[in-house]
Structure formats: structure tokens, C-alpha cells
Amino acid sequence: MFRTALRNVFAHKARLLMTAFAVMLGVTFITGSLVYGDSLNQATTAQATDGYERIAVNVAAEADPANGGRPGNLDAHTATALAKLPGVAAAAGRVDGFAAVADRDGKPLGNGKDAQGGNFAPAADGKDPAYRFTEGSGPTGKDTIALDEATAAKGGYRVGDTVRVGTNKGASSYTLSGIFRTDGTKLPAGGSLTLFAGATAQKFFLEPGRYQNIELTATPGADVTQLLSRVESVLPKGTSAVTGARLAQIKANLATSGTSGTSTMSQILVGFAAVALFVATFLISNTFTMLVARRTRELALMRAVGATREQVRRILLTESLLVGAIASVAGLAVGTGVAALLQTLFADTPAAPLVLTPTTVIISMLVGTLLPMVAAWLPIRRAMAIPPVAALSAAEHTAPARPGSLRSGLSAALVLTGTAAVVYGALTTGKDARTVIGLGAAIALTGTIGLIPLLSRPVVALFRPLLTRLAPVHGDLAVRNTVRDPRRTGATAAALAIALTLASGLSVLGASATQYLDRATTHALGADYVVKSAGGQRMTPATATPLKKLAGATYSPLNQSTGYRLGGSESVLTGVDPATIGKLLRYDVAEGSLDNLAKGQIAVADFKAEQAGWHVGQTLPLERQNDQRGSLTIGAIYQADEQSDLMPSITAPDSLVARYDSTPSTAGILVATDGGPGRAALAGVTHALGDNPTLSVLDQADIRAQDSRGIGDQLNVFYALVSMALVIAALGIANTLAMSVLERRKELGTLRALGLDRAGVTRMIRLEALLLGALGATLGTVMGVFLGWALGRTLQANVAGYELVLPWGRLALTILIALAGSLLASLWPARRAARVDIPAATAAQ
């Protein structure tokens, strides 16, 4: 049986090629996602522990409350004492903190939150074991720095160049003395590392003469456990020591617990792989349905000469198993390559060798081999039910889809039940609304797939007038051929409908979320620029002071102060300049007047007032954590979005905030210039702030792009994944048309004999493909918009201002792509149909 199955696979290799390719794509998805996730997890752990093997013992200073929470009690004297201990080869004091490097245009290089600075701590030989210099040497003076290799390459810097670097203490220009490589303990993936001379780093990141930790390296043969005991015996109060091996283990555990984002991405990739395989199921089932129907007489002859029904079934299932096994092996290889590509695309993730585990191989091979067998089981079961005598005497006749059939009734019930569940989840917007919508969508989609054969006739009829007007003969023939076998048409269109459902739903959600974020972030902004910290570091009101010297500039810092109980409600006050804030932020005042800020009163957002039950004119008692007491009067209530990063929940005059808080945190600085935004204005603001790369000067377009970048990036990844399902659906169309051409050779030969030329045959097949694409695209787009509406409804309850947006252009583009894919899928079948040999075809039985 195995030899017979193998012979049949090679005999029908052209017909099974697209089935194998569909399975390969699904297995590629699964393999790529699993390999990428495993590789990234291992790389993250390896990077977190890289470099600790050179550290025998690490001594760290604990936070000192009396010193503002900064580490203390580690100084040069401690380092010298530790270096003299038996078994210690060297003691390197370390300090680190935030340091942003500017490119040649003054903008921060790399990922701002991972912009690090540290000190160069040379041993007696003048080298620091933590860094390997590829060019130049370490910084030794207050005006020199060294950069890591990746950052220097991004900025185009060479040894001797002038580089501007900013810290929380300000920005200055330095001479680049060297370029180095280092391990994961010093440089996070996608970040930057700037080395300063020891005294300079201490001044920026701690205080002169102090260290955050001291790294001890051991002499050859020294016992680390004994060395740890010696170190602990001489440690000053407020410090602790741990071996490098133990520290590596701690970092590894932290890295493992911090890979939830990686796991989430892997789960998303696996989810899309499941969708791709689900779509491939229709292609596989359709292919085997047509193959079995094509070979009905061959199978009946095998039965007639003595083969049992079970033997024939095993032969066909073995064929599907062989196809799946071959495709799975190819999918494993391609999927591993896809994982490598993902590592390249996500450059901010740690690079590491690809990890192909036995579990990944087993899962991929099982899925890839079992799926074709499951998909082929029903067509094979139908074929085995045909008596050999009937199969030998007549060709297979396809049973039409009837409205009263059990399948149609069950499918209609599933559609109604699923739709009701989706609508219920959308309207209730409760805690489990999205779960209800997801289950309802799955049920409705399953029912729709079963109903597509029944829906094919009325939907195709909608396009018939257009086709017959454009091509009267060819269009009419295409319509008739498309609805000739509703089950086959439905199975082919279902694959495309699933892909379009995902694409349309994502488009609706993405467009709605993007418009909401756009409105929430820039609608209230009247300023030309917003100044923010590039690395999320703390700004203070003093950060805005240099803007006083900028001619024609109007500005106001947003000074946030926390720890208040206002009228019994936990509150955050944001101090602003009452004289300028009305020009910088657009307050939609519902009650009272914003002018009352100048009188020492506060303005409250409507959602905050509604939650607390406040009204204009009400005087509220104020309590603060440091036992301060007072009272504030509400002078205005304004409309605001609770999710907005710019519009405060409570706006207060900055003088009032300063009365209760001498060190508020500045969330941003709003700046407007006389001439409006432009290159000169941007340069003026940047220069006034000291050309400091730790500060980002953003215009409205920058803010819009920054806030929507996350959604856009995720949508692009999802669209790329959905495109795989579209490719599989297009393969299904090509496969269906190719098999249809084989079955209709006699018909095509007759049409050619009656005068239909090759161009006409080609046009007819292409119109059939477009009809299949239009059927799937229509149903998929309708379902996708419906699901996008339902999921959007669940957001409206928690996200004020979220509204449904139908991206007509993007939806139309998706449909056009689906139709273009269908047309491309028809090229090979149309070419084969046009080359049918007329005498041979008309003589065929």
C-alpha cells in the first residue's frame, strides 16, 4: 500500500504541489514563531548573564534614605581596602546612570530609555576588563568619552570626533577617545553606552568619590567562597556582597520573568499560524475532493480486482500523510529562516544563535502531517461510500447545496447563534464581553463557512449584470461555471473570506484607535512644540528656565504634584502658568472660566468632577501626605479625555503647586513661537534648551506619530501575517481552477470547436477567478467590519471619545488585493485551459 501511495503522489505531483505549499506555509508559521521565541528567550537570558564570569564578588551599596535614596558608603578607600584582600586581583568601582548621545543633527541616538552612561575604571595595566576597545582607548580626562561600537556606527563617529552627550546634569561636548565592545551586563539591547572618566561619571551619576558597586576579580586559583567571607568581614555598614555566579543566576531569573512580551508575540504568531492552517484545511480538503472524484473509476477498479475498502482508504490517507511529511520538512527549514529574518527585523532584541528544540520539531511535524490526513478524511469517506459498480459506470455527480438540507439548517443556526452572541457582547460591554464576542465570532464564522455554498448563487448573481455587460459571452459562461458546483466554490471562497475577515477587522480597529489617539493627543494641543525627556528621566521646573531668553516664545511647564487628598478624593495637581496656558492648551470649558486660575483657583476635568461630585464654586479641603492642610476653590470645569497625556485632570496655577510642593516633576513643557512651527523655530527651541539630547522637542506630527507608532507597528506585523492566509487562499483558487480545467477538458474542447478562441477561454477562466475572489472578499469584508464594530463597542465603555471609523480606502485596497491575488492565481489554469487539444478533448469519454 505504501508503494502504491508513493507512486500515486508522484503521479499527481503537480496537483498536490499547491496543497503541499499551503501546508508548508502553515508549518513555516509555527516553526518560525516557536524558534524565534525560544531563541529570543535564550538570548535574553544569555545577555543578562554575559560578563558575570569575570566577576568573583560584587559589592553593592544599599540606598541611603538620609542621602535622598542614593547609594552610599562605597568610596575609594573601601575599594583600596578590598583590593588588598588575599585572593583579590583588582577592585573596580562602578557608577552608572542616564546619558543620551546626540547624532550630528542633535537628535538622540538609539532607544532613549536604554541610553546608559558609566565610568572607565582601568586596572594597573591601564585596561578595564569590562570593555574591549576596537579603536582608541578609554577616557582619562573630563572632556573625553568612549562610545560602544553600535552607537558610534549609528552616529557615524570616529575617534577624535566631537560628540554631544547629555545627562540629568545638562549637556556638553566631548572628544571621542575610543570605541569599544562590552558584555550584556553593561549594554542593553538597542541601547547606547557612554563611558566617562571616573570623576566625571561620579559627578553626573552619584557624587564625587562615591561608587554604586565595586567589582572584584580573583587571582588565579582563589576560592570564591572564602573570598566572599573575607569581603563580608570588612564591608562597611549599608553594603552587601554576592558572588558573580549568584548574581548571574539572579539576573537570569529576572530575564526569564521579563520575557512576557516575547511570549505574547510568540503566542500571536502561533495564533496566526493556526489561522493559516485553518485556511489551508479548505485547500487540502478541496484538492482531495477533486482528486478523489477524478480517480473514482481508478479506485473502483482497485475495489473490483480485490482491494478492500479499508485498503483503498489507507492508500489515500497514506498519500495525504506523505504530502504532509514532505511539506513539514520544507516548512521546518523555511520557518527557521523566517525566525532568523525576525531577529534581523527586530534589531533592538538581543542577537543569538537560533534554537531549534526537539519540541518544536515534533509539534511542527505532527501538525503538518496530521492536518492533511484530517482534511482528506471526509472526501475519502464519501468516495468509499460509492459502490464499485456505480463508480465504474458513471462519473461522480455533485450533490447541490439545498436550502432544506441538514448542513444548511445547522449552519444557519450557528450563524444566528454566533451573531446573537457577538451583538450581546458588544451591547453589554461587561467584564467578559470580548470573550463572548470571540466565541460568538468563531461560531458565526463556522456557520458562514457552511452557508457559503448556499450563498454563492445569490452573491454571484449580484455581479452577473456587470460581467455580462463587460463580456456578454465570457461573463455568462464564467457565472455558470462558478455556481455549477456550489460546495467546491464555497470551500474555495471560505478560505479567502477568513483572511478578509481578519484583515477588515484589523483595519476597522486600527483606524478607529488611530483616530482616537490622534484626537486624544493633539486635539487639545495649541502649542507648537512639546518638550519631553528623551529617556523618561525626571524633569523639573528649572528645565524650562532657559526658554525665558528665547525671543517671541510663550511657554508653560506642566508641573505635576502628587500625594493630595482633595475633598476626600486622591488627586494629582498640575501646575501651569495662568497667563499662557490658554494659548498652549485648548480647554473646552463647560462651566466657570479659565481666568479664575489667575485668582488662585483650580480647573477640573469633567470626568474627575463627575467621579467626585464636584461643581464650580465649591471649596474643597486639601490634605497632603506631609500633613499640609489647605483649601481650594473650583473655578472652572472643562471637557477632557481621561486617557490624554497632555490635558491634566486638575489644573492649578504654578504658584499654588509651589506652595505645597517645592520639587514637582515636570511632565512636559509646552512652547509656542511667534512664527509658528518650522525649522528655524525648532532650532531656536532646541538651542535655547542647551542642545541637550536628553530632551526631545516634538511638534504635533511627532507626537501623533509617537503615540500611534505602537499600534501601527503591530498592525503592520498582523497584516504581514494575514497576507500569508491570503496567499494560501489564492493557492486554493488556483488549485480549484486547475482541477476544474482538468474535469472540463471535453467541455473546453467543445467550446473551442464551436469558435471560442484561446483568448476567450483565458478570459472566461480569469472571470471565474474574479468571481471566486469577489465572493470571498464580499463575505469576509462584511464579517470583518461587523467584528470590528463589536470589539470597538467594548472599548467605548472604558475609552471616552472612541468612535467607530470605517477606513473605506483601506477596505477597498484590501478587496483589490484579494481580487488581484485571485487574478494572479488564474494565470496558470487559464494558460492550461487555452492550450487544450481540441480533437483529444472532444474525443475524451
Side-chain angles (χ1 to χ4, degrees):
M1 287 187 294
F2 180 79
R3 288 197 300 269
T4 303
L6 186 62
R7 183 198 65 199
N8 289 336
V9 167
F10 284 105
H12 302 96
K13 55 182 178 294
R15 303 176 195 177
L16 292 170
L17 180 61
M18 283 179 283
T19 298
F21 189 62
V23 175
M24 186 197 75
L25 286 178
V27 174
T28 295
F29 252 125
I30 290 180
T31 304
S33 58
L34 294 178
V35 170
Y36 174 70
D38 292 341
S39 301
L40 188 55
N41 286 338
Q42 179 171 301
T44 302
T45 302
Q47 186 189 48
T49 59
D50 180 29
Y52 285 107
E53 69 278 356
R54 62 178 168 76
I55 302 174
V57 176
N58 184 76
V59 179
E62 299 172 359
D64 184 5
N67 194 28
R70 292 181 295 179
N73 292 340
L74 282 182
D75 54 21
H77 296 294
T78 307
T80 301
L82 292 172
K84 293 179 180 179
L85 291 176
V88 175
R94 303 290 185 191
V95 290
D96 58 68
F98 175 70
V101 182
D103 62 15
R104 296 187 183 276
D105 294 326
K107 296 181 179 179
L109 276 172
N111 190 346
K113 65 183 180 63
D114 289 325
Q116 299 291 316
N119 65 307
F120 178 67
D125 60 359
K127 297 180 180 180
D128 189 329
Y131 308 104
R132 302 174 297 280
F133 280 82
T134 58
E135 296 181 42
S137 59
T140 55
K142 63 179 182 178
D143 296 325
T144 58
I145 61 165
L147 291 177
D148 69 274
E149 197 172 41
T151 302
K154 288 179 184 177
Y157 291 123
R158 303 296 301 270
V159 172
D161 288 350
T162 299
V163 183
R164 193 157 183 83
V165 180
T167 67
N168 290 332
K169 300 292 180 67
S172 299
S173 296
Y174 301 86
T175 299
L176 184 62
S177 66
I179 297 172
F180 60 87
R181 296 175 181 172
T182 187
D183 50 52
T185 63
K186 304 298 181 185
L187 180 61
S192 62
L193 178 59
T194 306
L195 291 183
F196 299 89
T200 305
Q202 289 175 328
K203 180 182 68 174
F204 287 156
F205 306 133
L206 195 57
E207 58 185 57
R210 297 285 181 177
Y211 298 113
Q212 291 162 326
N213 63 291
I214 299 175
E215 298 172 353
L216 304 181
T217 53
T219 56
D223 186 283
V224 175
T225 304
Q226 294 180 0
L227 179 58
L228 177 63
S229 298
R230 297 190 195 104
V231 169
E232 290 176 334
S233 66
V234 298
L235 285 183
K237 183 180 178 181
T239 60
S240 60
V242 65
T243 64
R246 175 57 183 159
L247 193 58
Q249 184 180 4
I250 294 172
K251 295 294 185 181
N253 293 336
L254 290 174
T256 302
S257 63
T259 55
S260 58
T262 302
S263 300
T264 301
M265 177 56 73
S266 296
Q267 291 168 5
I268 291 173
L269 291 172
V270 171
F272 275 94
V275 172
L277 289 168
F278 185 56
V279 173
T281 302
F282 291 94
L283 170 57
I284 298 165
S285 180
N286 226 13
T287 300
F288 273 92
T289 297
M290 292 182 284
L291 277 175
V292 171
R294 182 79 178 166
R295 297 163 58 192
T296 300
R297 292 190 178 185
E298 173 192 334
L299 300 176
L301 184 60
M302 292 175 64
R303 294 278 306 280
V305 297
T308 65
R309 179 179 298 180
E310 186 62 30
Q311 286 176 323
V312 176
R313 180 184 291 110
R314 288 178 184 175
I315 290 172
L316 294 174
L317 287 176
T318 303
E319 290 180 27
S320 65
L321 178 65
L322 288 171
V323 171
I326 295 171
S328 297
V329 172
L332 271 170
V334 178
T336 305
V338 168
L341 179 62
L342 288 174
Q343 283 189 334
T344 303
L345 292 176
F346 297 103
D348 288 346
T349 58
L354 295 176
V355 178
L356 182 61
T357 64
T359 302
T360 298
V361 175
I362 292 172
I363 291 175
S364 300
M365 290 298 297
L366 281 178
V367 171
T369 53
L370 292 180
L371 178 67
M373 295 180 66
V374 173
W377 179 81
L378 185 58
I380 294 172
R381 181 175 177 271
R382 288 175 181 168
M384 293 301 97
I386 302 174
V389 175
L392 286 170
S393 61
E396 181 210 17
H397 297 283
T398 304
R402 298 187 302 274
S405 68
L406 177 62
R407 170 175 171 167
S408 299
L410 180 60
S411 298
L414 289 175
V415 170
L416 292 175
T417 303
T419 302
V422 171
V423 173
Y424 173 79
L427 296 180
T428 56
T429 63
K431 178 181 178 182
D432 300 321
R434 293 175 194 172
T435 302
V436 172
I437 290 174
L439 291 174
I443 294 171
L445 190 59
T446 303
T448 302
I449 292 168
L451 277 182
I452 286 181
L454 197 63
L455 296 173
S456 60
R457 290 184 182 274
V459 175
V460 169
L462 293 175
F463 299 101
R464 182 168 188 164
L466 177 62
L467 290 181
T468 53
R469 177 173 297 183
L470 295 175
V473 175
H474 312 101
D476 186 65
L477 287 172
V479 169
R480 291 175 183 271
N481 290 329
T482 302
V483 299
R484 174 185 298 180
D485 188 345
R487 293 194 189 281
R488 181 187 300 175
T489 299
T492 305
L496 189 60
I498 294 170
L500 266 292
T501 298
L502 290 173
S504 302
L506 288 173
S507 295
V508 171
L509 286 174
S512 302
T514 300
Q515 177 174 290
Y516 160 72
L517 287 174
D518 184 20
R519 185 167 55 245
T521 54
T522 61
H523 171 71
L525 184 61
D528 298 326
Y529 300 102
V530 178
V531 180
K532 291 188 174 183
S533 172
Q537 303 298 307
R538 187 175 184 272
M539 294 192 299
T540 66
T543 307
T545 302
L547 293 172
K548 290 181 179 180
K549 301 176 181 178
L550 183 60
T554 302
Y555 71 94
S556 174
L558 301 175
N559 299 322
Q560 288 188 344
S561 182
T562 60
Y564 295 90
R565 286 191 63 82
L566 190 58
S569 174
E570 297 289 340
S571 302
V572 176
L573 301 186
T574 300
V576 300
D577 182 354
T580 62
I581 194 61
K583 180 181 178 181
L584 302 172
L585 281 181
R586 299 189 182 96
Y587 284 83
D588 296 328
V589 179
E591 299 179 54
S593 173
L594 202 64
D595 294 337
N596 290 326
L597 288 175
K599 301 176 183 178
Q601 298 180 358
I602 61 173
V604 181
D606 52 357
F607 65 85
K608 179 70 174 178
E610 183 178 351
Q611 291 170 0
W614 297 341
H615 57 83
V616 171
Q618 183 177 359
T619 299
L620 306 172
L622 178 147
E623 300 177 9
R624 199 151 187 263
Q625 292 173 345
N626 55 3
D627 294 330
Q628 289 178 308
R629 298 288 187 272
S631 61
L632 300 177
T633 301
I634 300 176
I637 293 178
Y638 52 89
Q639 298 177 359
D641 192 327
E642 191 170 357
Q643 307 299 321
S644 175
D645 290 334
L646 289 176
M647 188 62 73
S649 59
I650 299 178
T651 305
D654 47 13
S655 57
L656 187 149
V657 169
R659 184 190 312 166
Y660 295 101
D661 189 355
S662 59
T663 58
S665 178
T666 300
I669 305 169
L670 307 175
V671 185
T673 56
D674 283 348
R679 294 179 63 88
L682 176 62
V685 173
T686 303
H687 184 67
L689 292 170
D691 294 314
N692 192 338
T694 66
L695 301 177
S696 293
V697 183
L698 309 173
D699 60 17
Q700 294 197 14
D702 293 331
I703 296 171
R704 188 181 297 113
Q706 188 180 72
D707 290 336
S708 61
R709 183 180 297 121
I711 291 179
D713 291 344
Q714 291 180 9
L715 285 177
N716 289 335
V717 172
F718 293 160
Y719 285 139
L721 298 174
V722 170
S723 66
M724 284 291 189
L726 285 171
V727 170
I728 296 175
L731 290 175
I733 293 174
N735 216 19
T736 298
L737 292 175
M739 298 300 291
S740 177
V741 167
L742 287 174
E743 292 177 354
R744 294 156 49 194
R745 289 182 69 249
K746 185 172 183 177
E747 172 194 326
L748 292 170
T750 303
L751 289 173
R752 290 292 313 282
L754 291 174
L756 191 66
D757 59 8
R758 287 187 174 184
V761 173
T762 300
R763 189 178 306 166
M764 178 184 68
I765 299 298
R766 289 178 179 175
L767 289 176
E768 289 180 34
L770 286 175
L771 278 173
L772 286 171
L775 175 61
T778 300
L779 296 175
T781 301
V782 171
M783 290 189 292
V785 171
F786 175 60
L787 292 179
W789 164 81
L791 290 172
R793 284 278 306 177
T794 65
L795 297 174
Q796 288 178 335
N798 301 319
V799 181
Y802 180 94
E803 296 178 357
L804 177 69
V805 175
L806 293 180
W808 298 108
R810 192 175 298 173
L811 292 174
L813 178 61
T814 304
I815 293 173
L816 288 175
I817 290 174
L819 294 177
S822 303
L823 193 60
L824 287 173
S826 70
L827 295 180
W828 178 55
R831 185 170 178 268
R832 293 193 65 182
R835 294 191 174 188
V836 167
D837 183 78
I838 298 175
T842 53
Q845 298 297 321

